[in-house]
């Protein structure tokens, strides 16, 4: 609607709207956290959590509305069929920009439960943010430092046991947990520094997904392997979106069986860990080839569109 405006004006408009949207729903979630603190009984707290997830749904939907105002984005989304809003899913995805979470929550909001992230337990004590994440039922995990483990070997395995107990509530609450297994957003500089074997990806880290599967593996119905591509985006994808310079978002979702992880073997046997890492590396090799195919396909489409425009 407003994408005819100059890029800097669009940036100011979109930044203002996104800040207002996040501040509005974030404030309501934090107020919900206070309400949850004083709500007696498990049933009452579950009701508050469900309301907080509706607030997150509203935040994601409003983000979509803002995108409609500032950009003409064509969504190429595949793999939504057979997903259930009342299911249990573990998601893994490549990570390109700060826009990824907004894009994924917007597209998936009506198909699976609202996305959650494993967070370090220390974050629960961060003012405002910790309360909001707790209100949204984000799963918090314990991570004992290597120094403490070295001083007290008896602590080994306690982190997983504590996290598993904290995740017991998700047995009765449909849940989607996402893990960006590269650990950070991909850039050419990071790929070079890692000596990554992939053209479009960083090396995947198996520890986070192994921890999630060890804590909640039996609860997940499926593993959703998401490939995210912005075929025509500038180098700074988030800035490009906010200036209306991104016209295409590709999100392909592959539903896979949930791999089983024996936590005792994973955390004690190097070869078992290596086998799991090889499985994840295989997924990333296929993802890298898939991104190549997507870029080729949409590169051809973009060239055809440019030729059509020049002919008229």
């Amino acid at each position: 609607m407003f994408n005819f405006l100059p890029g800097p004006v669009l940036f100011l408009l979109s930044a203002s709207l996104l800040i207002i949207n996040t501040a509005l729903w974030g404030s309501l979630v934090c107020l919900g956290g206070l309400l949850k603190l004083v709500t007696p009984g498990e049933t009452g707290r579950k009701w508050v959590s469900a309301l907080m997830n509706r607030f997150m749904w509203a935040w994601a939907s409003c983000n979509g509305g803002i995108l409609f105002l500032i950009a003409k984005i064509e969504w190429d989304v595949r793999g939504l069929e057979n997903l259930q809003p009342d299911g249990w899913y573990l998601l893994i995805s490549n990570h390109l920009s700060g826009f990824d979470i907004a894009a994924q929550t917007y597209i998936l909001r009506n198909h699976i439960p609202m996305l959650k992230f494993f967070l370090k337990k220390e974050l629960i004590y961060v003012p405002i943010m910790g309360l909001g994440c707790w209100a949204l039922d984000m799963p918090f995990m314990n991570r004992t430092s290597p120094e403490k483990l070295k001083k007290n070997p008896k602590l080994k395995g306690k982190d997983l046991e504590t996290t598993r107990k904290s995740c017991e509530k998700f047995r009765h609450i449909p849940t989607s947990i996402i893990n960006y297994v590269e650990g950070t957003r991909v850039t050419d500089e990071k790929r070079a520094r890692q000596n990554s074997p992939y053209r479009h990806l960083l090396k995947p880290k198996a520890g986070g997904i192994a921890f999630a599967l060890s804590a909640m593996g039996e609860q997940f119905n499926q593993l959703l392997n998401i490939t995210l591509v912005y075929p025509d985006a500038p180098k700074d994808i988030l800035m490009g979106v906010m200036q209306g310079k991104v016209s295409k978002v590709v999100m392909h979702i592959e539903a896979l069986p949930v791999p089983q992880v024996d936590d005792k073997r994973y955390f004690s046997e190097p070869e078992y860990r290596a086998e799991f890492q090889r499985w994840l590396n295989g997924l990333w090799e296929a993802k890298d080839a898939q991104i190549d195919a997507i870029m080729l396909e949409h590169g051809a489409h973009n060239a055809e569109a440019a030729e059509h425009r020049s002919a008229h």
Side-chain angles (χ1 to χ4, degrees):
M1 185 179 293
F2 295 112
N3 61 308
F4 63 89
L5 295 171
V9 176
L10 271 180
F11 175 79
L12 288 174
L13 176 63
S14 59
S16 301
L17 291 174
L18 290 169
I19 289 170
I20 292 169
N21 184 45
T22 301
L24 170 63
W25 297 109
S27 299
L28 289 173
V29 167
C30 289
L31 288 173
L34 294 174
L35 176 62
K36 190 175 176 180
L37 277 172
V38 299
T39 300
E42 190 64 28
T43 301
R45 286 192 289 272
K46 283 183 180 178
W47 181 86
V48 175
S49 293
L51 179 60
M52 297 307 99
N53 278 289
R54 292 304 294 173
F55 287 163
M56 188 173 179
W57 178 93
W59 170 79
S61 298
C62 290
N63 281 338
I66 294 169
L67 286 176
F68 176 78
L69 289 176
I70 65 172
K72 288 183 178 179
I73 292 181
E74 180 186 348
W75 297 87
D76 177 1
V77 182
R78 305 176 193 179
L80 293 175
E81 52 276 358
N82 300 322
L83 299 183
Q84 302 293 332
D86 56 353
W88 281 259
Y89 299 99
L90 175 62
L91 292 77
I92 57 174
S93 174
N94 59 315
H95 194 15
L96 296 166
S97 80
F99 179 60
D100 296 353
I101 293 173
Q104 289 169 329
T105 52
Y106 171 63
I107 289 298
L108 294 169
R109 72 195 191 286
N110 293 324
H111 298 277
I112 62 175
M114 291 306 299
L115 298 181
K116 302 185 189 302
F117 306 83
F118 266 110
L119 303 173
K120 293 179 181 178
K121 190 176 182 182
E122 291 75 16
L123 291 177
I124 200 170
Y125 302 110
V126 175
I128 300 176
M129 186 185 81
L131 183 63
C133 291
W134 177 74
L136 287 166
D137 274 331
M138 298 289 177
F140 290 90
M141 62 180 180
N142 280 358
R143 278 291 175 90
T144 303
S145 68
E147 293 77 17
K148 285 186 178 180
L149 283 175
K150 191 173 182 180
K151 289 180 182 177
N152 188 356
K154 290 182 180 180
L155 293 176
K156 189 175 182 180
K158 293 291 184 183
D159 288 351
L160 182 59
E161 182 182 337
T162 302
T163 302
R164 189 177 283 148
K165 285 180 180 177
S166 73
C167 292
E168 281 291 319
K169 61 186 172 185
F170 297 124
R171 290 188 180 278
H172 310 291
I173 303 172
T175 305
S176 299
I177 292 179
I178 189 166
N179 189 304
Y180 293 108
V181 296
E182 292 161 301
T184 184
R185 301 167 196 164
V186 65
T187 65
D188 291 337
E189 294 77 14
K190 290 175 185 175
R191 283 179 52 254
R193 194 160 57 242
Q194 272 194 356
N195 193 24
S196 172
Y198 312 108
R199 292 185 61 187
H200 308 285
L201 304 166
L202 298 176
K203 296 176 181 178
K205 299 178 181 180
I209 183 175
F211 192 90
L213 288 168
S214 299
M216 292 182 61
E218 294 179 357
Q219 300 179 42
F220 295 122
N221 300 136
Q222 286 182 311
L223 175 75
L224 301 183
N225 179 24
I226 298 179
T227 300
L228 189 61
V229 183
Y230 306 95
D232 66 346
K235 195 166 185 179
D236 188 333
I237 295 169
L238 180 59
M239 181 70 75
V241 171
M242 295 176 71
Q243 292 183 338
K245 294 180 180 179
V246 174
S247 63
K248 189 90 172 183
V249 178
V250 180
M251 193 184 306
H252 292 183
I253 304 160
E254 179 187 18
L256 299 171
V258 180
Q260 299 300 309
V261 173
D262 184 325
D263 58 275
K264 291 184 175 61
R265 294 187 64 192
Y266 185 86
F267 295 106
S268 63
E269 298 180 20
E271 181 51 38
Y272 189 85
R273 287 197 298 274
E275 182 182 344
F276 187 78
Q277 182 70 58
R278 283 192 290 272
W279 167 81
L280 186 56
N281 290 347
L283 288 184
W284 241 237
E285 287 172 15
K287 188 183 293 291
D288 205 44
Q290 185 182 24
I291 293 172
D292 261 338
I294 290 170
M295 295 297 287
L296 182 62
E297 175 188 352
H298 290 286
H301 288 174
N302 290 340
E304 288 174 8
E307 185 179 346
H308 180 76
R309 285 194 298 269
S310 63
H312 290 77

